[in-house]
Amino acid sequence: MSAEAASDTTRGGVQVRLEDMCRSFGPVRALDGLSLEIAPGELVALLGPSGCGKTTALRALAGLDQLDSGRIVVGGADITTVSANRRDMGMVFQAYSLFPNMTARDNVGYGLLMRRVATAERRRAADELLELVGLGTQADRYPHQLSGGQQQRVALARALAIKPKVLLLDEPLSALDAKVRVQLRDEIRRIQLEFGTTTLFVTHDQEEALALADRVGVMRAGRLEQLTSPTELYARPRTAFVAEFVGLTNRIAGTAESESVQVLGTRVPLLPGSAQTGPVTALVRPESVRIAADPNGDAHVLATGFLGALCRVQVQLAGGDVVLAQVSAADATDLAPGRPVRVEVAPTPVFATPA
Amino acid sequence: MTGRRLLRVAVLVVTGVYLLLPLVAMLDFSTQAGGGRRSLEAWRDIGSSRDLLGAISVSLQLAVLTVLGTLVLLVPTVVWVHLRVPRMRRTVEFLCLLPLTIPAIVLVVGLAPIYAWVSYLLGNSPLTLTFAFVVLALPFAYRAIDAGLGAIDIVTLAEAARSLGSSWTGVLLRIVVPNIRGAIMSAAVITVALVLGEFTISSLLNYNTLQVVINLLGKRNAELSVAVSLAALVFAFVLLFVLAGVGSRRDRSRPSAIEKGIAG
């Protein structure tokens, strides 16, 4: 689709404010005072384990679930009690949700039909959007004639067709195979940037969240643990839960004093919120663990895992603890299992919990 | 021919004979004219018997009204239960299946005083039997529609339609109904068959429907009565095939195995 066509369908992003949202299902508090602000045109990903409340938050914003208390403000208007069909939210679901009795074109045009847009205009808009998602030639196909990835593309086009105030993506990639997932993920981001639509994306896949979002919110037990940029979230987790949930971490014993911790012979700065004194468990990223083949080293390689450009190496320390190191594949050539190695930790700030 | 195939053919033949033999016998009986001759007189009489034509007309009208009544009552109810109050599914299922467990004669005992009021309020038209027939059709129609809804992800489809701006009526008419067309057709066919074959309630409530008149005719003109019975059966078969054909032709949502393979 051309830039003019894109701007034609762009309404421009609006600000979304979720204020102190609470929702219980029986004894379970799915949302426990969740507050979140999304800037116009921003893509925020909510990340968390199953049952953390991320999908409930998205469904509440879509109007598909009611809140017990709290407010939802979109573009300055309180829409907390507005019904789902009047909210102007485009949503892509985890499950395939195309209407089986309609062609791809009719699916995309459905929201416009509900808005009483004339047939010719509806058809033109639907064809344009299908072109945008790379399915221009599949417009007359029925959902069962499309693959999973194609169905989700059509679902994305359908959600965008109504020029939504907010785009809601509820784990839209989780049913797809790995290659299609990455492809479609990149495409979602491209189209979202092109349209400038404020977007809330819910996922349990951290790689997806980190790769796609402007900001990532990690949720736990109905609350936001931390909401920040992907790099900040990875490098400077504010809680032990975030440090352990996002990325891989080694739990290495150390001793903390005066805002730093002694780990494997190196003094490493501590992140704010960490335990500050006494014996602690430092949460160290695999890429911060440095290893080098050394005949006099007191650790040895247990196993290596080849990941293409990178290599993950499991190392057993002298005390018996096992740590995971991540090195470039080129550096891993002389790290065969059983080889003695020297282990150090890079002085990158780490999070530490009381031991 | 393998043993398995032989068994299959044998089962088919035995079942076919079992089902077709009575029909052949009916045809044979209805075309006998004494002295070993054949005659279509009984079949011709169908068109000239005023009572019979009236009863056929009443039964067909009842069939149409019952199908409409059952679908209008049941489809929105079952859809609503699936979408909004799934915990009520068992209760609704129990209520819908209840008529199946109550013998017709017991139903009539309950219905008789009610029909005294129905006759008083709406007149003595046999079409008032629609109310009773809708109750009789509930278990069968419910099963068909419930199975149809179970075959699609109705919750996600409804939520998708709602988020695109559809009202609940729109969800029902544009999304749900077209996708359970096959189930609705099945419910309609079963209901028509049930209405055309119903005897006990009509007879005990003194309404002249097709089966009641066939029974009366049988006492004075057995050949005519059997000819009508056979015609009614053939009519029900034809209707079934036509509706099944219409249902499958218009139901584009169901992928064939080959198409599934392509998309997979």
Side-chain angles (χ1 to χ4, degrees), chain A residues 46-250:
Chain A
L46 285 183
L47 176 68
S50 299
C52 71
K54 55 189 191 300
T55 294
T56 310
L58 180 118
R59 290 175 58 82
L61 179 52
L64 300 173
D65 261 339
Q66 297 305 308
L67 291 175
D68 297 334
S69 63
R71 260 174 27 118
I72 299 171
V73 181
V74 173
D78 185 338
I79 59 155
T80 317
T81 54
V82 175
S83 67
N85 60 329
R86 297 184 189 282
R87 286 198 183 190
D88 272 339
M89 306 263 170
M91 186 155 172
V92 182
F93 295 80
Q94 177 178 6
Y96 299 137
S97 62
L98 295 186
F99 308 129
N101 57 314
M102 297 182 197
T103 59
R105 179 184 291 118
D106 290 343
N107 262 284
V108 176
Y110 186 80
L112 300 176
L113 177 69
M114 294 298 103
R115 284 159 180 76
R116 301 181 199 285
V117 174
T119 312
E121 170 60 15
R122 215 162 61 218
R123 195 183 161 94
R124 189 194 64 79
D127 285 349
E128 211 167 68
L129 280 158
L130 284 169
E131 197 70 47
L132 175 77
V133 297
L135 292 174
T137 56
Q138 318 282 321
D140 292 316
R141 295 204 158 205
Y142 284 88
H144 70 261
Q145 296 169 318
L146 301 171
S147 69
Q150 288 174 327
Q151 287 193 45
Q152 290 302 67
R153 280 164 203 262
V154 176
L156 178 65
R158 183 176 70 177
L160 290 168
I162 59 169
K163 301 174 190 171
K165 285 180 183 157
V166 185
L167 181 62
L168 304 172
L169 307 172
D170 183 10
E171 309 210 25
L173 309 172
S174 60
L176 308 176
D177 61 57
K179 199 170 171 184
V180 179
R181 197 183 308 173
V182 173
Q183 233 172 33
L184 191 51
R185 180 182 83 190
D186 296 343
E187 226 159 296
I188 286 175
R189 181 56 164 165
R190 173 179 66 80
I191 293 167
Q192 188 266 336
L193 287 172
E194 200 168 316
F195 276 64
T197 313
T198 310
T199 303
L200 184 64
F201 180 88
V202 157
T203 180
H204 63 269
D205 182 329
Q206 48 175 294
E207 191 188 313
E208 223 164 77
L210 297 176
L212 205 62
D214 293 308
R215 285 188 301 157
V216 178
V218 177
M219 281 189 72
R220 181 196 190 191
R223 288 179 156 276
L224 260 184
E225 285 269 310
Q226 189 172 2
L227 173 67
T228 184
S229 68
T231 45
E232 179 83 1
L233 189 75
Y234 189 79
R236 304 181 70 82
R238 226 170 39 200
T239 67
F241 176 78
V242 175
E244 293 199 88
F245 188 75
V246 179
L248 293 169
T249 42
N250 291 296

Side-chain angles (χ1 to χ4, degrees), chain B residues 19-38:
Chain B
L19 292 175
L20 287 177
L21 202 60
L23 302 183
V24 173
M26 286 170 90
L27 185 66
D28 175 62
F29 182 78
S30 65
T31 54
Q32 278 179 9
R37 286 181 300 114
R38 292 280 157 196

Side-chain angles (χ1 to χ4, degrees), chain B residues 40-85:
Chain B
L40 287 176
E41 201 186 325
W43 287 83
R44 272 196 295 271
D45 284 351
I46 294 177
S48 58
S49 168
R50 195 172 278 247
D51 287 351
L52 191 58
L53 290 178
I56 290 172
S57 165
V58 163
S59 280
L60 288 177
Q61 289 176 60
L62 272 172
V64 171
L65 288 175
T66 309
V67 166
L68 288 178
T70 308
L71 293 180
V72 167
L73 180 72
L74 211 52
V75 174
T77 309
V78 182
V79 168
W80 194 251
V81 168
H82 270 256
L83 286 176
R84 307 291 284 183
V85 275

Side-chain angles (χ1 to χ4, degrees), chain A residues 59 101 110 115 142 144, chain B residues 159 162-164 166 179 252:
Chain A
R59 290 175 58 82
N101 57 314
Y110 186 80
R115 284 159 180 76
Y142 284 88
H144 70 261
Chain B
E159 287 182 346
R162 290 284 290 164
S163 76
L164 291 166
S166 190
N179 284 302
R252 298 159 174 151

